[in-house]
Amino acid sequence: MAEESKEKLNIRLHVYDEDIHATIAREDEEFYRAAAKLISERYGAYAQVFQGRKSDHTIALMTLVEIALRYEKELGKNDTLP
C-alpha cells in the first residue's frame, strides 16, 4: 500500500481561473502541467475574443474542440496502418 502511494502524486493544477486538485501517476506530472497550461492559454485566447458575446460554456467547448482537433491531426500523422 505504501509503495502504491509513492507512485501517486497529489497536485493542484491552475486551469484558466480555477484550481483543480488531482491525484496522478508521478511520471505523468509534466504532462498534466503542460495540459493545464495549454488549456489556460487557448481558453484565454477565446475568452479575450468572445467574452460577453458567448457563454463560458461555449468558450470552453470551443477550446475543447480546438485541442481535440490538434490531437486528431497528430494521431493521423502517426497512423501506421496500410
Side-chain angles (χ1 to χ4, degrees), residues 16-39:
Y16 189 61
D17 63 352
E18 190 167 328
D19 287 335
I20 299 172
H21 295 273
T23 302
I24 62 166
R26 187 173 295 276
E27 63 269 12
D28 290 339
E29 180 182 9
E30 178 183 347
F31 299 112
Y32 275 88
R33 295 205 184 276
K37 182 178 179 184
L38 173 63
I39 293 165

Side-chain angles (χ1 to χ4, degrees), residues 7-70:
E7 295 173 9
K8 297 291 182 180
L9 187 63
N10 290 314
I11 63 171
R12 184 184 71 195
L13 296 170
H14 186 75
V15 181
Y16 189 61
D17 63 352
E18 190 167 328
D19 287 335
I20 299 172
H21 295 273
T23 302
I24 62 166
R26 187 173 295 276
E27 63 269 12
D28 290 339
E29 180 182 9
E30 178 183 347
F31 299 112
Y32 275 88
R33 295 205 184 276
K37 182 178 179 184
L38 173 63
I39 293 165
S40 295
E41 288 173 354
R42 299 315 309 144
Y43 188 97
Y46 282 109
Q48 190 174 6
V49 173
F50 295 108
Q51 198 77 47
R53 297 187 327 193
K54 303 270 186 198
S55 70
D56 290 344
H57 179 77
T58 300
I59 293 171
L61 291 175
M62 293 165 71
T63 304
L64 287 170
V65 168
E66 179 186 330
I67 292 170
L69 179 63
R70 289 183 186 194

